[in-house]
Amino acid sequence: MAGVPATPAVPPVGPDPATPLPSPWLDFTREDWAARRNNHPLSLTPDEIARVSGLGDRVDLREVEEVYLPLSRLLSFYVNATAGLHRVTTDFLGERPAKVPFVIGIAGSVAVGKSTTARILRELLLRWPQSPRVDLITTDGFLRPNAELEARGLLQRKGFPESYDRRALLRFVADVKSGKPHVEAPVYSHLTYDIVEGESVVVDQPDVLIVEGLNVLQPATVRSEQRARQVLSDYFDFSVYVDAPVEQLREWYVERFLRLRETAFASPESYFHRYAALTDSEARETAAGIWQRINEPNLVKNVEPTRDRATLVLRKGPDHAVTHIRLRRL
């Protein structure tokens, strides 16, 4: 209508969609990351590195110096800072301070080398000047027994989140984190591919606990009554995701299967002994089929989506070596 002033435009609420949000990550090349070692001495020998390396993981002295030693140094800062925060918080609340371990979660795909990462970090952390007690637990011990998985129709989904006794795993980590002594975890045998009945390992108030497994960074889900359940990562102080492209992981899995055919599978006690007599081409076809049916779907649906929930991501190249590091900003 003539003579009526136009209504001023209302500025949009929230960030401009055309402006990218700041990244929550700090990105490092391996060379940049290696400089963070700051001349900290390496206390592992080549023989010790070989002893803790997994089948097919080509971790050498140089990679430990350039990747894992700086990470160990960073973790020492986190552990000390967290312990200080715990002391001042309990003092503020008037509580009696209890020994609370620093918990590190390590996640990643089958065949990516997360077990080797966990073992190397444990060896480095054990050698800190204060000689901390460091325990390492894999979530394999909390897989449901094969008989139970078979009864539930889950034997072909071993490694998927539903194949674990998640309540028992959560209770275990919660008890350790609360400072409870003598917390027991079940034992899993990769030879028999099953839980070892009647056996357990005891975690007794360590300074640091490393929890390694496929699904340790799974997020919470909302139940029908709109209450999110607790998850394992609620108890982590730091987490690492070991990453590699899917096609590379597939190749590494097949290579590892071929090596296992000549080693562990050769034992008559092995669950996979039937694969020991396969030819190279048969073994490759079998491994590729297992990967396609089980491991890749689990990776794509359940494991890889948790990568950005980690505190730090180690990205690997075709030769198994770490090439890039991403650290979440504080």
Side-chain angles (χ1 to χ4, degrees):
M1 183 182 296
V4 178
T7 303
V10 178
V13 178
D16 183 350
T19 304
L21 294 173
S23 171
W25 297 97
L26 296 169
D27 291 283
F28 298 89
T29 64
R30 177 159 159 169
E31 182 180 7
D32 290 338
W33 182 256
R36 271 67 188 173
R37 174 187 174 182
N38 197 28
N39 295 319
H40 191 75
L42 178 64
S43 52
L44 288 179
T45 67
D47 286 344
E48 289 171 325
I49 293 170
R51 176 173 54 81
V52 299
S53 296
L55 193 65
D57 290 334
R58 304 181 186 97
V59 180
D60 56 19
L61 192 66
R62 182 177 175 185
E63 178 156 66
V64 174
E65 288 179 330
E66 294 180 350
V67 177
Y68 296 103
L69 194 55
L71 176 53
S72 170
R73 183 168 176 257
L74 177 65
L75 283 168
S76 71
F77 297 148
Y78 271 74
V79 171
N80 291 333
T82 302
L85 179 61
H86 176 68
R87 285 193 299 270
V88 297
T89 302
T90 54
D91 184 59
F92 171 77
L93 296 174
E95 295 179 340
R96 195 176 192 179
K99 183 178 181 179
V100 177
F102 188 91
V103 181
I104 302 168
I106 298 183
S109 170
V110 170
V112 77
K114 61 186 180 299
S115 297
T116 296
T117 294
R119 289 192 293 264
I120 288 176
L121 283 178
R122 180 177 185 269
E123 293 300 318
L124 289 171
L125 300 182
L126 282 169
R127 288 161 170 78
W128 288 349
Q130 60 270 41
S131 299
R133 292 178 54 198
V134 184
D135 283 341
L136 168 59
I137 289 291
T138 70
T139 59
D140 290 343
F142 293 90
L143 283 162
R144 297 185 184 276
N146 285 352
E148 185 177 344
L149 291 175
E150 192 165 13
R152 293 177 178 225
L154 293 174
L155 195 56
Q156 295 303 310
R157 291 177 67 81
K158 203 165 190 178
F160 282 68
E162 60 269 27
S163 66
Y164 294 87
D165 186 342
R166 286 177 282 186
R167 182 180 295 275
L169 176 56
L170 185 65
R171 168 56 61 190
F172 167 81
V173 176
D175 284 346
V176 175
K177 186 66 175 176
S178 69
K180 185 176 179 179
H182 308 295
V183 184
E184 294 189 11
V187 173
Y188 183 82
S189 169
H190 287 276
L191 183 66
T192 63
Y193 194 59
D194 204 353
I195 299 298
V196 181
E197 188 175 353
E199 287 194 22
S200 63
V201 293
V202 177
V203 174
D204 191 8
Q205 297 181 312
D207 299 298
V208 178
L209 174 67
I210 299 173
V211 182
E212 176 258 308
L214 289 168
N215 301 297
V216 298
L217 293 177
Q218 284 287 309
T221 56
V222 179
R223 297 174 177 174
S224 57
E225 63 269 25
Q226 299 299 308
R227 290 175 57 194
R229 62 179 177 85
Q230 284 186 317
V231 292
L232 198 61
S233 58
D234 290 340
Y235 296 93
F236 293 166
D237 299 290
F238 195 98
S239 54
V240 177
Y241 186 95
V242 187
D243 190 30
V246 174
E247 59 275 10
Q248 194 66 66
L249 290 165
R250 182 187 305 113
E251 181 179 328
W252 292 347
Y253 177 78
V254 173
E255 290 174 355
R256 189 177 74 172
F257 189 93
L258 291 173
R259 292 188 183 92
L260 286 169
R261 181 195 53 166
E262 300 170 354
T263 54
F265 293 174
S267 170
E269 297 178 4
S270 172
Y271 180 87
F272 298 104
H273 183 61
R274 62 191 181 277
Y275 297 141
L278 296 178
T279 65
D280 283 357
S281 60
E282 290 171 338
R284 287 185 179 278
E285 183 179 357
T286 300
I290 295 172
W291 174 267
Q292 186 176 9
R293 291 193 314 273
I294 301 173
N295 295 311
E296 185 169 336
N298 191 26
L299 169 64
V300 172
K301 181 180 179 181
N302 299 308
V303 182
E304 197 173 56
T306 69
R307 176 178 54 205
D308 287 348
R309 303 189 73 241
T311 315
L312 181 136
V313 177
L314 299 174
R315 179 74 168 180
K316 289 190 170 186
D319 61 351
H320 286 262
V322 174
T323 59
H324 291 82
I325 296 91
R326 303 186 77 195
L327 176 66
R328 183 172 290 279
R329 297 175 188 268
L330 288 176

